[in-house]
């Protein structure tokens, strides 16, 4: 199993957007969608890589990865609807709706296909995208992904409890978030580190001071998690990954979703690759952006992109797999 050496934690709080990264926006179905990309001229002959963040996250979590990937790819890292600076309408925040949104974004940007990288909730969205639009998915990369097992951090399960929508505004009030941030900074000055997982969780909850973002968060999380844990699973369809080059990436010390989910997924995804980062938590793109970029580029360099044609032999293959695939794995 591939392993990497432990590195020192990154600083706890957000750094400015790198000069090599820019934010752009467009309108989809009348809603504002923002996305980040590299500050270089788009190369129409270069492949596309789509980076999908997790619950309550935003495209800024990919800022340190984007410049490296831009050496070979046209990079698109959107703020999902209801997140970041994208619109937060009343509407559908299911995995399927997010997958449709990614399809529409790629088409609006005149991209017919992409290597799709999904983190946490974004991994579930990426799997849904690959399942629904296989002809548009060249490769699939799951980073600390949801949808591969039941276990999840208790804090996320708590948001599904009845009445959580009334408690959440108190927990995300600006004074509370400011105090938590100040405490974390003081701890960091002593030479101890609360870790990037704590930092990112604080940032995520800080974004929920916006009532619209808070409602989107609650609708999103209740679509995939209940009091018993994750309730949406792709495990009975993972055998389909043999149609698309697939890689699973995880942090060994992930406190949000255990790394064992990734190891099991790899074991039942024919031809998949597995990268486990020792000493890393739930956010490899924040803790170890250079290492994550490196394995992504290596994966792309050593695999041929899938170009499925569902009008020919690929359709016959898919039909045979769907009706004769393995029994569900739970």
């Amino acid at each position: 199993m591939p392993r990497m050496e432990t590195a020192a934690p990154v600083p706890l709080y957000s750094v400015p957007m790198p000069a090599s990264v820019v934010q752009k926006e467009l309108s989809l179905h009348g809603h504002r969608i923002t996305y980040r990309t590299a500050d270089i001229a788009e190369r129409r002959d270069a492949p596309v890589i789509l980076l999908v963040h997790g619950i309550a996250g935003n495209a800024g979590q990919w800022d340190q990865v984007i410049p490296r990937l831009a050496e070979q790819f046209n990079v698109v890292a959107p703020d999902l609807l209801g997140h970041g600076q994208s619109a937060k309408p009343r509407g559908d925040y299911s995995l399927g709706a997010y997958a449709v949104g990614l399809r529409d974004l790629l088409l609006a940007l005149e991209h017919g296909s992409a290597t799709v990288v999904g983190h946490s909730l974004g991994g579930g969205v990426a799997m849904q995208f690959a399942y629904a639009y296989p002809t548009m998915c060249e490769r699939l990369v799951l980073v600390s992904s949801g949808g591969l097992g039941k276990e999840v951090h208790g804090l996320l399960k708590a948001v599904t409890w009845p009445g959580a929508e009334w408690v959440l505004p108190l927990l995300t009030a600006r004074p509370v978030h400011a105090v938590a941030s100040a405490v974390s900074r003081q701890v960091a000055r002593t030479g101890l580190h609360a870790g990037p997982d704590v930092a990112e969780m604080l940032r995520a909850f800080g974004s929920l001071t916006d009532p619209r973002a808070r409602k989107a968060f609650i609708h999103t999380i209740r679509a995939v998690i209940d009091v018993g844990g994750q309730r949406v699973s792709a495990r009975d369809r993972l055998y389909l990954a043999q149609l698309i080059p697939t890689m699973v990436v995880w942090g060994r010390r992930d406190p949000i979703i255990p790394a064992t989910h990734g190891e099991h997924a790899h074991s039942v995804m024919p031809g998949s690759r597995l990268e486990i980062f020792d000493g890393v938590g739930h956010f490899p793109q924040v803790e170890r952006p250079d290492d994550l970029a490196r394995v992504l580029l290596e994966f792309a360099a050593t695999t041929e992109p899938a170009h499925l044609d569902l009008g020919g032999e690929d359709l016959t293959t898919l039909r045979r797999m769907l009706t004769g695939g393995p029994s569900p794995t739970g």
Side-chain angles (χ1 to χ4, degrees):
M1 182 184 302
R3 297 290 179 88
M4 297 184 178
E5 297 301 320
T6 304
V10 298
L12 281 180
Y13 285 87
S14 298
V15 296
M17 185 188 302
S20 54
V21 176
V22 294
Q23 180 169 287
K24 298 184 178 182
E25 66 177 78
L26 77 167
S27 177
L28 285 179
H29 310 298
H31 301 302
R32 179 176 185 252
I33 299 295
T34 58
Y35 65 97
R36 296 195 185 201
T37 187
D39 188 18
I40 58 176
E42 184 174 306
R43 297 155 294 172
R44 299 306 302 174
D45 60 337
V48 178
I49 190 164
L50 179 66
L51 307 177
V52 189
H53 65 76
I55 186 77
N58 60 72
Q61 292 174 333
W62 302 104
D63 275 357
Q64 305 306 312
V65 179
I66 290 173
R68 284 284 309 278
L69 298 181
E71 298 170 9
Q72 297 184 27
F73 287 96
N74 286 317
V75 183
V76 180
D79 284 335
L80 293 173
L81 202 69
H83 294 73
Q85 296 184 50
S86 287
K88 300 166 181 65
R90 177 181 175 85
D92 185 356
Y93 289 99
S94 65
L95 294 181
Y98 280 130
V100 171
L102 294 181
R103 179 204 63 182
D104 292 349
L105 174 62
L106 288 177
L107 293 178
L109 295 176
E110 301 182 19
H111 299 314
S113 60
T115 291
V116 184
V117 182
H119 171 253
S120 198
L121 172 82
V125 175
M127 285 188 284
Q128 182 69 29
F129 179 90
Y131 183 70
Y133 311 110
T135 60
M136 296 183 69
C137 187
E138 297 181 352
R139 300 178 186 86
L140 177 65
V141 181
L142 305 175
V143 182
S144 308
S145 178
L148 299 175
K150 186 176 180 180
E151 294 83 8
V152 69
H153 195 283
L155 180 61
L156 297 180
K157 289 191 287 186
V159 178
T160 69
W161 296 349
E165 57 268 41
W166 304 108
V167 176
L168 199 57
L170 302 177
L171 298 179
T172 58
R174 289 188 185 277
V176 173
H177 178 66
V179 169
S181 299
V183 169
S184 293
R185 285 196 295 271
Q186 291 299 323
V187 169
R189 291 193 183 103
T190 69
L192 302 175
H193 294 275
D197 293 307
V198 173
E200 289 303 317
M201 291 295 286
L202 285 173
R203 274 195 287 267
F205 274 82
S207 73
L208 301 181
T209 55
D210 179 344
R212 298 168 303 165
R214 195 159 56 240
K215 288 180 180 178
F217 170 74
I218 291 173
H219 287 309
T220 300
I221 205 164
R222 287 180 174 174
V224 294
I225 295 174
D226 60 23
V227 294
Q230 296 187 69
R231 65 185 185 87
V232 175
S233 174
R235 292 175 70 170
D236 61 346
R237 293 168 174 78
L238 293 180
Y239 68 95
L240 295 173
Q242 62 190 281
L243 296 172
I244 298 171
T246 302
M247 181 168 67
V248 178
V249 181
W250 227 280
R252 173 61 68 192
R253 296 176 60 186
D254 190 337
I256 309 300
I257 304 175
T260 52
H261 288 199
E263 292 170 339
H264 177 269
H266 164 64
S267 72
V268 297
M269 298 169 85
S272 66
R273 300 187 186 183
L274 175 66
E275 293 283 347
I276 298 291
F277 291 7
D278 283 337
V280 174
H282 189 62
F283 299 91
Q285 71 273 44
V286 175
E287 281 192 75
R288 299 270 283 278
D290 289 341
D291 285 331
L292 179 59
R294 177 178 57 79
V295 298
L296 290 173
L297 292 173
E298 287 177 354
F299 179 56
T302 56
T303 55
E304 290 295 324
H307 294 293
L308 298 182
D309 177 10
L310 296 187
E313 292 184 4
D314 290 336
L315 177 59
T316 302
T317 299
L318 180 58
R319 184 183 298 119
R320 184 172 61 248
M321 292 174 66
L322 292 173
T323 58
S327 300
T329 55

